Amino acid sequence: MAHSHATGTKPAAIPDVWPNPISRANSDEWLARNHDRLREMRPRLLVLNFANGVTAAQGRAKVNELINVLGEASRYQGYRDPAAPRFLRYSVEKFVDLTDPAPLAEPLDHNSSLYPRVPNWKEGINFDYRRLFTPEFDRLYDVRDPKDPARRLSLKEMVNQGLVHEVWFLAYQGKYGSPYESIEVKQAYDARFRKLPGQWKQAGNGADPGQPFIGRSLRILFINAERGPGCALESLSHSFEGMARSDAVPYLRPYFEEFGGFNLDRRYHTPFDSLYGRNGSELDYPTPGTLAYPWNGEKRVVTHYLPAGGNVHFTPNGRHDYDLTNPQPVMSTIEHFRMGDGSGGADQAELWTPQAFERYRAFCPDCMGPWLVYWRQNFPGYRNRAKDATGRPMKNWWPFLFY
């Protein structure tokens, strides 16, 4: 009888970068199984330019600027650690110029004639997301099947093959309405990170019921052609809020709500769950550990107030939406989230002011950009020092983007 003999070759190492030869596409089961191995993700973009007057070169430059910001914002506590690596390294798989060669008789906010407007639009959202998944747009994308170059791929096929992981598009916003900032139809998982077959969640900042579930998660970002990377980063950060709180990934929700202050009603018995729900009242911080706010004509005070990460519109000491300049110091645990490195095993609290993100004011100056680079750098990312409720190392939050 013949016997086999060991060859001495080592088994192939499991990749620590995604996509890779084993896993290429959003929602691959491989991602959940190998989440903790990953040291870098390289998602590929399909970029569409509907903004008349924005050249392909200008559009690519705007996209590359945002890619750079997202990379910097994925460096775990990069403001403190110059050697912290970028976890997210986006690249453009294809840039599709859909602008008109000549001015339109009716400019409609200067968006292209190929812009998928909602028929008989009256108000609100004016972008028909469903059409991005139709043969009409397959022809415009003109992405060929690597195995059969004579055949064009649909958007669903591009995502299934792992050629595309997100769609970004440039357009104008004006009196004829606008798209959603960033939306996602996301594959749903159970508490053990197992896919729930056929189940999905609306997991973005808003939702278009026309966007189909294609069997894999897909995020679609609107980039306002007249704004900079900070505004697009704000849209994507709202989208992260929506994804984290959608319950598509049950593990993430409680930790993100703790980080982002979406549990104020449970923690401090406020009449709102987050500062988004404060009914427009102006907040005040009389001492570093006190939050004061008006409610129904009376002044209310929260003592022993200790915010962690804040949300997209509110820094730890934000007085109102978009406040980037409040000099009042507050105690915060944002830079020690779930580390248990303070007294009695609590997270260490420190005095906090907007000086913490001063370095990013020139780097990402518009909208909430400077705050959000710093905010995202404090997400538990690659090699984070946070612990989950069981005392185990907190899972890196970034791979959840592509579950």
Side-chain angles (χ1 to χ4, degrees):
M1 178 183 291
H3 296 277
S4 61
H5 297 277
T7 63
T9 59
K10 295 181 179 179
I14 297 175
D16 58 5
V17 174
W18 182 88
N20 56 62
I22 301 172
S23 171
R24 299 177 178 85
N26 294 348
S27 311
D28 275 355
E29 292 178 357
W30 186 95
L31 263 177
R33 291 198 303 268
N34 295 277
H35 185 128
D36 299 332
R37 298 178 184 272
L38 293 174
R39 63 175 176 81
E40 189 174 288
M41 301 187 91
R42 301 172 182 172
R44 302 186 185 106
L45 299 168
L46 174 66
V47 180
L48 314 176
N49 181 20
F50 296 107
N52 283 341
V54 175
T55 66
Q58 291 169 331
R60 283 181 175 273
K62 188 174 284 287
V63 166
N64 288 337
E65 197 174 18
L66 179 56
I67 286 173
N68 184 41
V69 164
L70 287 168
E72 177 65 26
S74 71
R75 297 175 59 236
Y76 179 62
Q77 298 199 337
Y79 54 85
R80 174 180 289 138
D81 179 8
R86 294 187 171 204
F87 189 80
L88 295 177
R89 293 183 177 271
Y90 283 86
S91 64
V92 176
E93 176 68 16
K94 186 162 188 182
F95 185 99
V96 185
D97 189 355
L98 300 176
T99 59
D100 295 307
L104 297 178
E106 188 177 2
L108 292 176
D109 290 330
H110 305 290
N111 286 321
S112 159
S113 59
L114 296 173
Y115 181 97
R117 291 180 176 83
V118 171
N120 304 312
W121 177 85
K122 295 269 193 289
E123 60 182 358
I125 300 302
N126 73 350
F127 192 95
D128 185 355
Y129 287 83
R130 174 195 56 83
R131 285 175 58 190
L132 298 181
F133 299 84
T134 62
E136 169 198 8
F137 270 83
D138 296 344
R139 291 190 294 273
L140 297 172
Y141 304 144
D142 195 24
V143 173
R144 302 292 172 145
D145 187 342
K147 296 179 180 178
D148 181 7
R151 193 176 75 87
R152 291 187 180 96
L153 293 177
S154 67
L155 179 52
K156 177 179 179 178
E157 289 172 321
M158 287 183 239
V159 176
N160 277 335
Q161 291 193 21
L163 298 177
V164 168
H165 303 104
E166 283 185 26
V167 176
W168 294 0
F169 67 89
L170 293 96
Y172 296 100
Q173 177 177 345
K175 65 181 180 178
Y176 294 100
S178 68
Y180 288 103
E181 291 183 7
S182 175
I183 64 173
E184 178 181 9
V185 173
K186 193 169 192 70
Q187 169 66 50
Y189 293 78
D190 68 14
R192 297 174 64 185
F193 307 102
R194 296 175 303 192
K195 290 167 67 171
L196 298 172
Q199 296 188 38
W200 50 273
K201 302 279 188 179
Q202 291 285 2
N205 183 27
D208 186 330
Q211 181 185 347
F213 177 54
I214 58 174
R216 298 181 187 271
S217 301
L218 183 63
R219 187 176 307 104
I220 303 176
L221 169 69
F222 158 48
I223 299 175
N224 189 322
E226 297 179 292
R227 293 188 169 185
C231 295
L233 182 65
E234 182 171 331
S235 296
L236 283 172
S237 297
H238 278 310
S239 201
F240 196 101
E241 288 178 332
M243 181 198 73
R245 304 189 70 214
S246 70
D247 261 345
V249 183
Y251 173 92
L252 180 59
R253 181 169 187 165
Y255 301 122
F256 181 78
E257 290 190 341
E258 181 182 336
F259 179 86
F262 288 94
N263 60 358
L264 301 183
D265 51 347
R266 303 190 298 274
R267 190 175 177 192
Y268 298 116
H269 306 291
T270 58
F272 39 78
D273 65 349
S274 77
L275 296 181
Y276 288 129
R278 78 203 189 287
N279 284 347
S281 58
E282 186 83 358
L283 308 174
D284 187 34
Y285 304 89
T287 74
T290 305
L291 167 67
Y293 62 96
W295 191 263
N296 291 338
E298 65 176 5
K299 182 178 181 180
R300 297 194 180 187
V301 175
V302 176
T303 57
H304 307 294
Y305 182 64
L306 184 59
N311 62 36
V312 173
H313 284 191
F314 283 89
T315 67
N317 74 342
R319 296 163 294 191
H320 47 76
D321 295 81
Y322 316 116
D323 183 7
L324 296 175
T325 59
N326 185 12
Q328 291 176 291
V330 297
M331 298 300 292
S332 173
T333 59
I334 184 170
E335 298 187 8
H336 300 268
F337 178 67
R338 280 200 156 264
M339 292 183 192
D341 53 353
S343 176
D347 295 346
Q348 183 178 332
E350 297 175 324
L351 280 176
W352 189 93
T353 70
Q355 185 63 33
F357 57 82
E358 187 65 28
R359 69 184 65 212
Y360 300 121
R361 287 191 187 270
F363 173 69
C364 189
D366 56 323
C367 292
M368 294 297 282
W371 153 245
L372 293 173
V373 174
Y374 168 84
W375 185 67
R376 291 165 76 103
Q377 284 192 346
N378 281 297
F379 285 8
Y382 178 57
R383 293 180 177 169
N384 72 79
R385 297 186 294 280
K387 299 289 190 294
D388 68 17
T390 69
R392 297 189 182 96
M394 177 76 73
K395 282 186 174 292
N396 178 356
W397 288 2
W398 295 119
F400 293 129
L401 285 172
F402 301 99
Y403 265 40

